[in-house]
Amino acid sequence: MQAPGPGDALLVVDVQNDFLPGGALGIRGGDAVVAPANRVLAAWRKRGLPVFLSRDWHPAGHCSFTAQGGPWPVHCVAGTHGAEFAAALEIAPGDVVISKATRADKDAYSALDGTPLAEALRARGVRRLFIAGLATDYCVRATGRDARAAGLDVVVLKDAVCAVDVQPGDGDRALDELAAEGCELSTTGATLREMEAPA
Ligand code: VGL
Ligand code: ZN
């Protein structure tokens, strides 16, 4: 991995209460992504690199909810506690928040789908996107694929993502697919070592 520097951005995907254990769509082990994400966030801030946070931000009655015929329980309804970022996630002023899947009639797993993220990345000269967050097999997967399609280099931080695993192995398969699409699979440890190494 080339040491993170200008042209790199960090995207933390959907680290929201409803995706943590005890949440409406709680992911087993989902809370374990917060500490490694925070370590990379701190390193990123020290260098003044851009930080983006996406959030699943559904209206009540969203088409992805079971009552509407969708696959998921009610989760991440805009403005509710479940939709708030995890309290332990170290957010800072200047972080750019990207709300997604905000339309009742359309689901969107990717943080680039129907959002201003691609344009915001372009405006900041971002060429490589580091991705952490939830869930490996849904929003991380779709976001990584769309980022590659948008011409970005992508690094997925394996120890800072976690899968729903509706079927066992979904998360591992998602990582394999991302790698096959040209995403680099790395870790927060390797990333931090690169950032601490003397130039
Ligand atoms: C997600 C399921 C439903 C995600 C969002 O953020 O990965 N998963 N809505
Ligand atoms: Zn959702």
Side-chain angles (χ1 to χ4, degrees):
M1 180 200 299
Q2 203 199 316
D8 290 324
L10 174 64
L11 171 65
V12 179
V13 174
D14 299 6
V15 179
Q16 296 166 268
N17 291 326
D18 272 342
F19 293 128
L20 301 186
L25 214 169
I27 297 167
R28 196 181 329 121
D31 48 339
V33 308
V34 174
N38 281 343
R39 287 193 284 274
V40 177
L41 282 165
W44 233 250
R45 300 192 200 296
K46 213 161 109 186
R47 294 184 177 230
L49 300 175
V51 172
F52 297 84
L53 308 160
S54 70
R55 60 183 183 186
D56 212 28
W57 200 246
H58 299 314
H62 187 254
C63 63
S64 76
F65 300 163
T66 47
Q68 276 67 42
W72 306 114
V74 174
H75 66 280
C76 295
V77 173
T80 63
H81 173 78
E84 284 173 20
F85 291 117
L89 187 68
E90 287 165 10
I91 295 167
D95 293 352
V96 179
V97 174
I98 300 290
S99 301
K100 64 182 176 61
T102 60
R103 275 178 47 179
D105 60 340
K106 186 179 177 294
D107 204 4
Y109 291 136
S110 164
L112 292 148
D113 185 351
T115 74
L117 178 57
E119 180 51 36
L121 293 169
R122 251 195 309 279
R124 286 166 180 75
V126 173
R127 294 182 303 278
R128 184 170 61 165
L129 189 63
F130 286 68
I131 302 178
L134 304 169
T136 315
D137 35 1
Y138 295 93
C139 290
V140 168
R141 164 90 190 82
T143 300
R145 179 189 54 214
D146 280 0
R148 290 292 298 147
L152 292 162
D153 289 334
V154 173
V155 178
V156 178
L157 299 171
K158 285 186 296 179
D159 58 310
V161 298
C162 191
V164 180
D165 279 338
V166 171
Q167 302 296 330
D170 281 353
D172 290 338
R173 276 188 291 277
L175 290 176
D176 288 347
E177 290 162 5
L178 285 165
E181 289 164 7
C183 296
E184 182 175 349
L185 305 184
S186 189
T187 63
T188 62
T191 302
L192 294 169
R193 277 194 295 281
E194 286 293 342
M195 295 179 87
E196 282 153 15

